[in-house]
């Protein structure tokens, strides 16, 4: 492998002395391989019949080297016969990169101008070396070096090898600011994009040196001082020095703050008859005596332009005139509003849409051709088109002058992006174990703005399939229509000995039809009809017995009365109505705006389920500081039964278990799935080794069954923290949060223990199937285990117990062994459960990833907490 040396200076081989002044009789070319001799002769000015001189020969050599086709050139003259001897530059076979790890080939190769089958030239190699080094400098690697080498091949071909030594990233070791008196270095550092390298900034891209960023920081410093009243501030110099070890940079800024100014007289002079200058001036945010703020002036100009635009003055010109008084350090300001005509929309042009039909875009405009121009409506139109999600990010409606001074043309220059989505993912959830999901969706079906989709999901505890279709403008009217057909199979579970145990299976097959109409620009009304067929069942081998009437049926002793009441097949016919207010800037990832909604559902228009359900939701998003997003969200609901399901004395609630509200992970972080709210905890009883009963209360060794509730509320406060550009590219979005919520209001179920004066009665079975009655003193948990034999099996039969033991109804043998236990009912309280924590969202290559660490601040007896949760492959 030969190193590429600098090109030798062009030299013409001297001719014998007598040849000077000889007339050229022939021009011969030797050594050419690919190029024709006539082509080579055309590059020089040596012609037959012309006199030959050393100067003309030197010029010919320079001309040939200038073509960059030759590695060497020599010219000789023998009595008028001129011979041009050339060695052609080789042809490039391939380009090879070695040593590049931080920047991949696909990013470097586009910067290289040399390419296979091109003629090799040293100048192009040098230029490519400079481009590669510049590429590394843009990433902060100023110590990078590139050594080009050439591998000679047969047939005058070469491989070009760029050996790259990347070197470490050049960090900013220190930032010095000289001349600042009003503000500390720390305050000014916080305003700059470039940061000093520190161990806790390992994910920040702002710690690398970048000359362009350094220039940007000078502007940031000036903007900061101008907002604080220092109108004369300037950066005298900005110098970047490489440290002696040539690894990092030290940045030094010399600033001159100047005096601090206050606002003087602030006036508005308007030449528009519709606006009174004095009235506008009275509404300005700055007042005489306030500290001068250049940012406030810019914002005021924007506000005035928006105000004028809302009244049809699209081309209104607002110009500030400054009057600086250096004696009393005041800055007087006059906003000049020049004369301008009221403007009307001449036409609306839509360009760039190849798939999307024009009407899909035009119907989102809040202005029509011929309407008076309104800047607020233009902004709203822009937001609505952006919310479609069919076009480029940050789409803007362009405003062009029309055919007359009072005419304007609105242009929607769109760039379509793919709207179809196919997702196949596998992941792991702390809720459901292994998850497999697949979905296909087209959000702009046939270019008409329709959405059609198919979703499939499978995990150990749930299966679901959903087909959906939405038409946002039915019959080209502002009426939306949506249809969903779905099937969901859910295995509900509890925990015993830290293991999940399926307690019931719920299969739901249903159809939902939705119709939505706008009430105002920001208020929508949505009506829906849902028809569900539910089948709730339990494992008969685990929860069924013939204890009652000899018939095989759900045994409350094994399953609990609340679960037995939920079993069965039923039909739900539900009418719903939702009223929603929405001003969010983005419905997928909002950064500002609010949304409010209230909804009600009535189940009872046919079917076997009858209830009324009410829900309310509210959310507010704020942009705080530099990229922080703060959100407040709240929701609540209640469900009221419209029929009676059983005897209240038996603890039967009129709202079925499957219709109640449940709360826990992931809605309320810091708690396990369904870990909040009313629940029945079954505690088993064993022998303490001395013949005395011992109640086991260890959470991992009890059966925990969540019952849900009729009422709930839930609130979130969350602050999303911005990261550097490197973390943004990875899709990382950390946040801190606080959650609050509760669910309550269920009727106390009939437990499998019964309170009696002086103690608690507990029933179990011995190995022969005979009932065992245990009387346990509430204070000492000491009791006597008694055995009795059943005398009859009937609906209300009572098994007599030995003297001294207590009895209850329907205590008949079931022919199997059940460990002694007692049940307690806890958690039925509206007391708020509060948790705080940190979380990270990551749009990983495997699908959305969410991890949360939460600390529970308040809880109620029976609540099940969980500090760490994560999920991959599905959305929370």
């Amino acid at each position: 492998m030969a190193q590429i040396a600098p090109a030798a200076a062009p030299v013409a081989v001297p001719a014998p002395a007598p040849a000077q002044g000889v007339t050229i009789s022939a021009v011969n070319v030797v050594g050419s391989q690919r190029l024709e001799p006539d082509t080579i002769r055309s590059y020089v000015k040596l012609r037959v019949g012309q006199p030959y001189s050393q100067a003309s020969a030197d010029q010919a050599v320079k001309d040939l080297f200038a073509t960059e086709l030759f590695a060497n050139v020599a010219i000789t003259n023998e009595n008028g016969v001129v011979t041009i001897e050339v060695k052609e530059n080789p042809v490039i076979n391939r380009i090879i990169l070695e040593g590049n790890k931080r920047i991949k080939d696909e990013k470097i190769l586009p910067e290289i101008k040399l390419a296979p089958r091109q003629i090799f030239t040293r100048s192009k190699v040098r230029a490519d070396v400079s481009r590669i080094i510049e590429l590394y400098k843009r990433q902060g690697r100023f110590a990078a070096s590139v050594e080009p080498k050439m591998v000679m091949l047969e047939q005058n071909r070469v491989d070009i090898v760029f050996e790259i030594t990347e070197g470490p990233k050049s960090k900013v070791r220190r930032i010095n600011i000289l001349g600042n008196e009003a503000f500390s270095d720390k305050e000014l550092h916080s305003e700059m994009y470039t940061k000093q390298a520190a161990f806790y900034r390992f994910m920040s891209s702002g710690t690398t040196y970048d000359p362009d960023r350094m220039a940007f920081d000078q502007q940031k410093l000036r903007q900061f001082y101008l907002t604080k009243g220092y109108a004369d501030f300037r950066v005298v110099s900005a110098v970047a020095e490489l440290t002696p070890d040539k690894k990092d940079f030290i940045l030094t800024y010399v600033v001159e703050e100047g005096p601090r100014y206050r606002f003087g007289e602030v006036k508005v002079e308007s030449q528009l008859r519709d606006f009174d200058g004095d009235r506008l001036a009275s509404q300005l945010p700055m007042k005489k005596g306030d500290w001068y703020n250049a940012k406030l002036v810019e914002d005021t100009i924007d506000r005035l332009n928006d105000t004028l635009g809302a009244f049809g003055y699209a081309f209104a010109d607002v110009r500030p005139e400054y009057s600086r008084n250096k004696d009393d350090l005041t800055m007087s300001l006059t906003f000049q509003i020049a004369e301008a005509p009221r403007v009307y929309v001449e036409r609306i042009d839509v360009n760039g849409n190849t798939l999307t039909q024009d009407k899909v875009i035009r119907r989102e405009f809040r202005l029509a051709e011929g309407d008076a121009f309104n800047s607020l409506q233009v902004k709203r139109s822009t937001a609505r088109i952006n919310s479609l999600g069919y076009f480029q990010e940050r789409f803007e409606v362009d405003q062009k002058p029309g055919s007359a001074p009072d005419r304007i043309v609105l242009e929607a220059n769109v760039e379509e992006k793919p709207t179809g989505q196919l997702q196949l993912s596998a992941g792991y959830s702390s809720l459901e174990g292994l998850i497999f999901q697949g979905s296909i969706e087209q959000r702009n079906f046939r270019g008409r703005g329709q959405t059609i989709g198919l979703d499939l999901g499978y995990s150990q505890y749930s299966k679901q399939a959903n087909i959906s279709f939405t038409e946002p403008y039915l019959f080209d009217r502002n009426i939306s229509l949506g249809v969903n057909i779905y099937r969901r199979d859910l295995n509900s579970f509890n925990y015993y000995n830290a293991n999940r145990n399926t307690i019931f299976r719920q299969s739901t097959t249903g159809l939902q039809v939705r119709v939505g109409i706008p009430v105002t620009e920001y208020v929508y009304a949505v009506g829906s009809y849902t028809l569900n067929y539910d089948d709730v069942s339990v494992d008969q081998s685990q929860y069924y017995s013939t204890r009652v009437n000899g018939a095989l049926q759900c045994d409350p002793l094994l399953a609990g009365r609340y679960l037995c009441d939920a079993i069965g097949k039923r039909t739900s016919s539900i009418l719903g109505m939702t009223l929603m207010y929405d001003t969010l800037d983005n419905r997928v990832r909002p950064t500002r705006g609010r949304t409010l909604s209230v909804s009600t559902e009535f189940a009872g228009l046919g079917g076997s389920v009858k209830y009324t359900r009410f829900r309310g939701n509210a959310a507010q998003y704020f942009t705080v500081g530099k990229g922080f997003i703060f959100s407040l969200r709240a929701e609540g609901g209640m469900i009221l039964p419209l029929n009676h399901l059983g005897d209240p004395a038996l603890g039967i609630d009129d709202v079925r278990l499957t219709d109640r509200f449940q709360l826990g992970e992931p809605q309320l972080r810091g708690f396990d799935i369904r870990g909040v709210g009313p629940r029945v905890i079954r505690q088993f009883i064993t022998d303490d080794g001395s013949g005395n009963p011992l109640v086991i209360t260890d959470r991992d060794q009890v059966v925990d069954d969540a019952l849900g509730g009729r009422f709930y509320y839930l609130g979130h406060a969350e602050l999303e923290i911005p990261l550097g550009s490197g973390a943004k590219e990875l899709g990382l979005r950390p946040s801190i949060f606080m959650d609050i919520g509760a669910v309550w209001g269920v009727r106390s179920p009939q437990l499998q223990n019964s309170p009696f004066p002086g103690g608690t009665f507990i029933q179990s079975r011995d190995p022969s199937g005979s009932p065992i009655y245990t009387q346990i003193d509430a204070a000492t948990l000491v009791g006597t285990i008694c055995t009795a034999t059943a005398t009859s099996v009937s609906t209300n039969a009572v098994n007599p117990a030995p003297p001294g033991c207590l009895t209850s109804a329907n205590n008949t043998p079931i022919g199997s062994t059940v460990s002694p236990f007692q049940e307690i009912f806890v958690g039925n309280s509206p007391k708020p459960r509060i948790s705080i924590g940190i979380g990270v969202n990551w749009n990983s290559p495997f699908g959305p990833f969410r991890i949360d660490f939460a600390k529970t601040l308040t809880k109620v007896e029976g609540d099940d907490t969980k500090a760490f949760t994560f999920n991959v492959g599905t959305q929370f």
Side-chain angles (χ1 to χ4, degrees):
M1 185 182 297
Q3 184 171 343
I4 299 175
V11 175
V13 177
Q20 293 290 338
V22 176
T23 301
I24 299 173
S25 60
V27 179
N28 299 324
V29 177
V30 296
S32 60
Q33 294 178 328
R34 297 182 304 273
L35 298 174
E36 294 294 333
D38 287 343
T39 302
I40 297 175
R41 280 191 284 264
S42 68
Y43 294 145
V44 300
K45 298 178 180 179
L46 298 175
R47 298 290 185 268
V48 175
Q50 292 182 352
Y52 175 84
S53 66
Q54 187 62 45
S56 62
D58 289 344
Q59 184 61 46
V61 171
K62 292 179 180 178
D63 292 341
L64 289 173
F65 271 113
T67 64
E68 297 189 333
L69 297 175
F70 307 101
N72 194 22
V73 177
I75 298 178
T76 61
N77 176 26
E78 293 183 4
N79 299 321
V81 178
V82 177
T83 301
I84 303 174
E85 184 178 353
V86 298
K87 182 181 179 181
E88 295 180 355
N89 274 333
V91 174
I92 297 173
N93 180 56
R94 58 178 177 161
I95 305 294
I96 301 172
L97 301 176
E98 293 183 355
N100 56 308
K101 296 179 180 179
R102 300 296 180 179
I103 304 180
K104 300 303 180 184
D105 289 6
E106 53 267 23
K107 289 190 176 181
I108 298 178
L109 290 175
E111 298 291 327
I112 297 175
K113 301 306 179 184
L114 287 174
R117 295 184 295 278
Q118 286 186 357
I119 303 298
F120 165 81
T121 65
R122 287 179 172 82
S123 62
K124 289 183 179 179
V125 171
R126 289 194 297 271
D128 286 339
V129 168
S130 299
R131 292 188 187 95
I132 296 173
I133 291 177
E134 183 62 29
L135 192 63
Y136 275 93
K137 284 183 177 180
R138 290 203 295 266
Q139 291 206 351
R141 298 183 184 275
F142 284 81
S145 62
V146 180
E147 184 177 350
K149 293 187 177 181
M150 182 170 58
V151 179
M152 300 301 301
L153 304 174
E154 59 183 8
Q155 298 179 353
N156 200 23
R157 295 177 301 123
V158 291
D159 288 341
I160 303 301
V161 181
F162 292 99
E163 292 187 352
I164 301 172
T165 303
E166 295 182 319
K169 265 194 172 183
S170 300
K171 299 287 186 179
V172 176
R173 184 175 298 180
R174 190 168 64 251
I175 301 176
N176 299 322
I177 301 178
L178 306 178
N180 55 309
E181 298 177 359
F183 302 100
S184 66
D185 287 1
K186 184 177 180 181
E187 288 178 286
L188 297 181
H189 287 167
S190 66
E191 296 297 323
M192 302 170 68
Y193 188 83
T194 303
K195 304 297 181 184
Q196 293 182 153
F199 73 92
Y200 54 86
R201 293 194 176 116
F202 66 96
M203 294 191 68
S204 174
S205 62
T207 58
T208 58
Y209 171 68
D210 187 337
D212 294 335
R213 190 183 299 140
M214 192 174 179
F216 178 69
D217 283 335
Q218 295 181 55
Q219 294 298 322
K220 294 278 289 181
L221 287 174
R222 176 166 173 76
Q223 290 173 5
F224 173 73
Y225 270 92
L226 288 177
T227 61
K228 302 299 181 181
Y230 294 88
D232 296 331
F233 172 84
R234 68 189 184 98
V235 178
V236 178
S237 65
V239 179
E241 297 176 284
L242 198 60
T243 56
D245 57 10
K246 298 186 182 302
K247 291 183 178 180
D248 299 326
F249 280 87
I250 297 175
L251 308 185
T252 302
Y253 296 88
V254 179
V255 301
E256 185 179 294
E257 293 180 331
R260 194 178 187 186
Y261 288 81
R262 294 181 182 272
F263 279 111
E265 295 290 337
V266 181
K267 299 183 294 182
V268 177
E269 294 183 359
S270 173
Q271 297 182 22
L272 298 176
R273 60 183 181 182
D274 295 334
F275 293 92
D276 179 68
D278 293 338
R279 186 172 180 181
L280 289 175
S282 65
Q283 298 175 358
L284 295 179
M286 67 281 291
K287 303 299 179 185
K288 184 178 181 179
D290 294 345
W291 290 114
Y292 173 73
N293 186 331
K295 180 65 167 57
L296 188 59
V297 174
E298 293 176 2
D299 293 343
T300 302
I301 293 173
D302 292 338
R303 288 177 55 187
L304 287 173
N305 278 320
D306 288 342
T307 302
L308 299 175
F311 285 87
Y313 295 97
F315 303 119
D317 184 18
V318 180
R319 295 184 181 181
E321 292 186 357
Y322 300 92
S323 177
R324 183 177 314 190
N325 190 326
K326 293 188 177 182
D327 295 330
D328 59 6
L329 298 180
T330 60
M331 183 78 72
S332 298
L333 182 62
T334 301
F335 293 97
Q336 295 283 353
I337 302 178
E339 180 69 35
R342 294 195 67 177
V343 177
Y344 297 85
V345 178
E346 181 175 352
R347 68 177 188 275
I348 298 174
D349 293 338
V350 177
N351 306 314
N353 53 315
T354 56
L355 172 66
T356 307
Q357 297 181 7
D358 270 20
K359 67 177 182 180
V360 173
I361 303 172
R362 290 182 180 276
R363 65 196 182 193
E364 301 301 330
F365 273 90
R366 302 296 94 183
L367 290 167
E369 294 173 350
D371 287 353
F373 176 82
N374 188 315
S375 59
L376 299 181
Q377 297 291 14
V378 172
K379 289 184 178 181
R380 178 59 179 165
S381 302
T382 300
R384 289 180 65 94
I385 295 174
N386 273 319
S387 294
L388 292 175
Y390 307 157
F391 311 113
Q392 75 272 22
E393 298 292 333
R394 299 179 180 177
F395 162 83
E396 293 286 344
V397 174
D398 295 329
Q399 303 172 24
K400 305 290 185 181
S403 59
D406 62 346
R407 296 289 183 266
I408 190 172
V409 175
L410 302 181
E411 288 187 357
N413 297 310
V414 300
E415 297 175 13
E416 292 185 323
K417 62 182 182 180
T419 54
Q421 191 172 30
L422 173 64
Q423 288 186 334
L424 298 173
S425 63
Y428 183 83
S429 167
S430 57
L431 297 179
E432 301 182 73
L434 287 174
I435 298 172
F436 300 94
Q437 285 192 321
S439 66
I440 182 170
E441 183 185 51
Q442 174 54 256
R443 293 180 291 108
N444 190 13
F445 185 56
R446 298 188 299 169
R448 297 184 176 184
Q450 301 166 339
T451 300
I452 186 170
L454 170 65
D455 296 288
L456 300 173
Y458 174 85
S459 72
Q460 184 178 357
Y461 290 95
S462 66
K463 306 176 187 65
Q464 58 103 11
N466 180 40
I467 300 175
S468 61
F469 175 79
T470 302
E471 168 57 75
Y473 281 78
L474 187 63
F475 305 125
D476 291 330
R477 296 181 179 274
N478 201 359
I479 301 173
S480 64
L481 173 68
V483 180
N484 285 68
I485 302 174
Y486 49 87
R487 169 64 183 252
R488 294 190 294 265
D489 292 337
L490 170 68
N491 293 344
S492 185
F493 50 85
N494 62 16
Y495 288 92
Y496 176 54
N497 286 335
N499 297 319
R500 295 190 184 194
N501 304 289
T502 299
I503 56 175
F504 72 85
R505 298 178 179 87
Q506 180 180 2
S507 297
T508 302
T509 305
L511 165 72
Q512 185 182 67
V513 180
R514 305 176 306 278
V515 177
I517 58 173
V519 179
T520 67
E521 178 63 25
Y522 299 100
V523 179
Y524 305 86
V526 180
S528 64
Y529 174 74
T530 305
L531 180 64
N532 287 336
Y533 174 75
D534 293 295
D535 184 3
V536 180
S537 60
V538 298
D539 186 352
Q540 293 191 8
S541 64
Q542 186 176 358
Y543 296 116
Y544 273 50
S545 76
T546 58
R547 186 170 63 89
V548 180
N549 292 331
L552 185 66
Q553 57 185 284
C554 182
D555 192 331
L557 181 63
L558 300 175
R561 170 62 58 193
Y562 64 93
L563 183 56
C564 290
D565 293 338
I567 294 173
K569 299 178 180 179
R570 56 189 65 93
T571 303
S572 304
S573 179
I574 307 169
L575 281 177
M577 175 60 71
T578 299
L579 195 64
M580 181 171 59
Y581 173 78
D582 186 353
T583 63
L584 298 180
D585 62 336
N586 190 307
R587 294 177 183 174
V588 178
R589 188 174 170 235
T591 60
R592 62 180 181 273
R594 68 172 58 93
T595 178
L596 304 169
S597 70
V598 291
S599 63
T600 180
E601 294 178 342
F602 170 72
L605 191 67
S608 55
V609 177
K610 300 183 185 300
Y611 63 78
T612 301
R613 191 198 310 262
F614 302 93
R615 288 179 187 264
N617 290 272
Q620 177 74 56
Y621 294 85
F622 309 87
T623 299
V624 182
K626 300 176 181 178
F628 291 87
I629 300 173
F630 180 64
S631 61
L632 292 171
R633 291 169 286 150
E635 62 178 277
M638 62 183 295
I639 182 169
L640 303 177
L642 300 179
N643 60 352
H644 296 288
L645 300 181
D647 186 355
L650 298 178
I652 300 176
D653 197 279
D654 291 331
V655 178
R656 289 183 173 86
L657 173 68
T658 53
D659 295 325
R660 299 173 199 155
F661 299 111
Q662 301 280 355
L663 202 58
E665 184 190 350
Q667 307 102 316
L668 190 58
R669 290 161 288 194
F671 295 88
D672 208 344
I673 180 172
R674 299 192 297 276
V676 171
R679 59 211 322 104
V680 170
I681 297 178
R682 180 174 289 191
Q683 301 169 334
F684 293 94
I685 301 174
T686 186
D687 193 308
D688 66 355
S690 302
N692 298 318
L694 176 66
V695 178
I696 299 174
T697 59
D698 188 339
R699 192 67 185 230
D700 290 336
Q701 301 184 50
V702 302
V703 176
D704 184 348
D705 292 321
L707 306 186
R710 295 189 185 185
F711 311 96
Y712 87 100
Y713 63 84
L714 181 64
H716 307 277
E718 190 159 2
L719 180 65
E720 186 176 308
I721 303 170
L723 296 177
S725 58
K728 284 184 179 180
E729 290 178 1
L730 292 174
L732 292 173
R733 292 185 289 118
S735 63
I736 57 176
F737 61 82
M738 182 180 75
D739 293 345
I740 182 172
V743 59
W744 76 99
V746 70
R747 181 175 293 154
S748 177
Q750 186 184 52
L751 304 178
Q752 296 304 306
N753 56 357
S754 303
F756 289 89
T760 298
F761 166 75
I762 301 171
Q763 172 197 337
S764 61
R765 303 286 171 176
D766 67 9
S768 66
S770 300
I772 298 175
Y773 305 96
T774 306
Q775 177 81 30
I776 295 182
D777 183 85
T780 64
L781 291 181
V782 176
T784 304
I785 299 179
C786 308
T787 303
T789 303
T791 57
S792 63
V793 179
S794 62
T795 302
N796 296 313
V798 175
N799 293 315
C805 294
L806 297 176
T807 62
S808 65
N810 299 330
N811 292 325
T812 56
I814 60 174
S816 63
T817 300
V818 179
S819 300
F821 65 84
Q822 70 176 7
E823 291 181 339
I824 58 175
F825 176 59
V826 293
N828 192 26
S829 168
K831 180 181 177 181
R833 282 75 155 177
I834 303 175
S835 65
I836 59 174
I838 60 175
V840 177
N841 274 308
W842 177 33
N843 294 328
S844 74
F846 312 102
F849 179 96
R850 173 80 192 195
I851 184 171
D852 290 295
F853 294 90
K855 170 66 176 177
T856 302
L857 300 183
T858 63
K859 63 177 183 176
V860 172
E861 180 188 1
D863 289 346
D864 196 3
T865 60
K866 187 175 184 180
F868 169 75
T869 58
F870 72 95
N871 192 296
V872 179
T874 184
Q875 290 278 9
F876 274 91

